[in-house]
Amino acid sequence: MLNKAQSHLNYTGRKGKVELEDEQGNKYLGDEQKELMKSWEAAGFHDKHDTGNKREAFHFVFSMPEGTDPKGLKDAVRNLVQEEFTGHKYFMAQHLDTDKPHCHVLICATDDRGARLNPRKQDLHNYRVAFVNKLAEQGISAFDT
């Protein structure tokens, strides 16, 4: 049985058809994606979604309306994640096969120093504000829609 994080990775990468990018800028397509969770496991990741209340990964989606510049959107998301989640392993992918272009990001809850991510309501609000700012850096207004 696939763990929850692997299932998110499979969906995000559309089972190898959509490019995944990690925190180091490495890109993965096709069969390369099947082994990606092993790098997280090597760093101590264990998906415990069936036991306990601790989440081992967080899935975020950053979406914009139809017509949004896809490159600018992806760059904004990448810049946001690199800034807000320094030290965390992550994978991101952009989906352009729907009316609204969007990016999925799967972030390992524990960073490279052992500190855990535990986002609260205020943190989610702060991520949204940071997303708007990162979009603006790419020349995209979140308020034109």
Side-chain angles (χ1 to χ4, degrees):
M1 181 172 112
L2 291 176
N3 65 35
K4 198 169 189 178
Q6 184 67 53
S7 294
H8 278 303
L9 187 129
N10 290 347
Y11 172 76
T12 300
R14 296 283 203 250
K15 296 185 178 181
K17 294 179 182 167
V18 171
E19 180 180 84
L20 289 172
E21 181 178 328
D22 69 13
E23 73 283 353
Q24 297 174 356
N26 300 314
K27 296 177 172 56
Y28 306 88
L29 267 173
D31 288 339
E32 297 173 322
Q33 294 179 2
K34 291 180 181 177
E35 303 296 316
L36 290 178
M37 289 311 301
K38 288 185 180 177
S39 70
W40 283 24
E41 291 166 1
F45 175 86
H46 298 286
D47 194 346
K48 300 177 183 175
H49 73 279
D50 289 327
T51 60
N53 292 326
K54 282 203 306 189
R55 294 178 103 183
E56 293 298 317
F58 292 90
H59 178 220
F60 295 101
V61 179
F62 297 91
S63 179
M64 287 296 288
E66 186 174 7
T68 300
D69 170 40
K71 182 185 180 317
L73 171 61
K74 188 173 184 179
D75 289 346
V77 172
R78 180 186 304 109
N79 293 341
L80 167 75
V81 174
Q82 287 175 345
E83 187 174 300
E84 293 289 331
F85 305 104
T86 302
H88 289 269
K89 290 188 167 296
Y90 70 83
F91 298 110
M92 66 178 281
Q94 185 174 49
H95 289 178
L96 300 173
D97 57 349
T98 65
D99 289 344
K100 296 182 179 183
H102 58 280
C103 293
H104 291 264
V105 182
L106 185 66
I107 301 171
C108 186
T110 305
D111 70 11
D112 56 7
R113 298 176 321 261
R116 289 191 54 80
L117 182 63
N118 189 18
R120 301 291 187 210
K121 190 181 236 182
Q122 185 62 48
D123 297 315
L124 297 175
H125 171 76
N126 294 343
Y127 300 155
R128 286 184 192 102
V129 170
F131 180 48
V132 169
N133 292 333
K134 295 299 178 189
L135 286 168
E137 290 173 6
Q138 299 300 318
I140 300 170
S141 173
F143 302 107
D144 288 343
T145 58

